[in-house]
Amino acid sequence: MAPAALGLAVAAFLRLRSPTQNVYTETRLWIAAAIAGLLVSAVLVAVTLGRERLAAARTEALVTAGEEHRRFLLRLDHELKNPVTAIQAGLANLPASGAAASVSAQARRLADLVADLRKLAELETRPLERAPVDVAEMLTEIHEVAVELPGADQRALTLSLPQAPWPVGTIPGDRDLLFLAIHNLVVNAVKFSHPGDRIEMRARDEGDHVVVEVADTGIGIPGDEVDHIWDDLARGSAAAGTPGSGLGLALARVVVGRHGGSVWVRSRVGDGTVMGLRLPAA
């Protein structure tokens, strides 16, 4: 900055002192070309360094934010765990009653929340297994488990796997975590649909990625809530009275992110919702 400021000051002085005076110099063409090349190179280097520094700063900010988020979850887990345990122990010594049953149900809900918080914090840092996962085989098993969910027998829960021109392939990853992520989507679809609604599990090959979708004809999500459903503890307006910790979709998002994939959702109130995962193929 200092050379630039000095140059501008000198230019202003010369402009005022001798507005019509010109200076002519003679320079060989090859020297001019060399100087121009050096100047362009210097500008390009400066731009590249600036971009690299900006990218490094962004990466550092993301790492810091992730670490702060993990510490917050662990702190929350620590603060909730002991009170919940004390409540459950106290309830065990009380005579059975409607009030005790209600408190016990809420204590179990808090215990589930604490467990999910701990799981979410661990997911963000734990090492992942990287074994080939057969998507078709995993989805078939998830479908078999999902039909046993409460209320699933009152929905038309189907699984669609492409066979032509070739079956959906494999993805490298931690099978248990991927199973958890997709199962959470199905659980969500069952919760926010009505008896008689349709729930479709499907997968497709997109070249270097595999896409898994869970679609339903349920109640849908209001537009102003769609962008927040993957957040921690997100509970939409339709979730009132529906059991859940608000961490199921957050867990799915973290699992998919750790595998280098992405999540999305499309929804229309009254028509239904489709949630998708896009994961790198093997």
Side-chain angles (χ1 to χ4, degrees), residues 46-82:
V47 170
T48 302
L49 289 176
R51 287 177 176 172
E52 289 178 349
R53 287 173 182 167
L54 182 60
R58 285 175 177 169
T59 301
E60 184 177 354
L62 288 174
V63 170
T64 302
E67 182 58 29
E68 289 177 352
H69 182 244
R70 191 181 72 85
R71 283 200 296 267
F72 168 74
L73 293 177
L74 290 174
R75 180 74 177 177
L76 200 56
D77 169 34
H78 178 74
E79 295 295 335
L80 290 175
K81 184 171 56 181
N82 291 338

Side-chain angles (χ1 to χ4, degrees), residues 76-223:
L76 200 56
D77 169 34
H78 178 74
E79 295 295 335
L80 290 175
K81 184 171 56 181
N82 291 338
V84 170
T85 303
I87 292 171
Q88 290 177 320
L91 286 171
N93 297 321
L94 291 179
S97 67
S102 176
V103 174
S104 179
Q106 293 302 317
R108 284 198 300 274
R109 178 173 175 273
L110 279 175
D112 292 341
L113 174 62
V114 171
D116 283 347
L117 283 172
R118 187 181 309 118
K119 193 183 301 179
L120 185 59
E122 292 172 353
L123 271 178
E124 293 181 343
T125 56
R126 62 171 277 188
L128 293 183
E129 293 183 10
R130 292 288 183 182
V133 178
D134 186 318
V135 175
E137 184 270 335
M138 179 176 62
L139 290 180
T140 300
E141 185 178 343
I142 293 173
H143 181 262
E144 291 172 354
V145 172
V147 295
E148 302 297 329
L149 289 169
D153 59 337
Q154 300 172 42
R155 278 79 165 161
L157 179 54
T158 63
L159 171 61
S160 175
L161 295 171
Q163 298 299 320
W166 48 72
V168 67
T170 62
I171 51 180
D174 188 313
R175 188 183 187 282
D176 291 340
L177 292 182
L178 292 170
F179 187 106
L180 170 71
I182 299 169
H183 185 260
N184 282 356
L185 301 192
V186 182
V187 170
N188 210 67
V190 174
K191 280 184 181 179
F192 297 104
S193 58
H194 300 298
D197 278 337
R198 184 175 184 83
I199 299 174
E200 297 179 357
M201 300 171 56
R202 54 204 186 212
R204 65 175 181 273
D205 186 334
E206 288 192 348
D208 55 355
H209 285 78
V210 171
V211 172
V212 176
E213 293 181 339
V214 177
D216 65 71
T217 57
I219 61 178
I221 305 169

Side-chain angles (χ1 to χ4, degrees), residues 258-270:
R258 290 293 312 277
H259 285 79
S262 57
V263 296
W264 80 90
V265 61
R266 298 192 303 274
S267 186
R268 292 192 301 203
V269 173

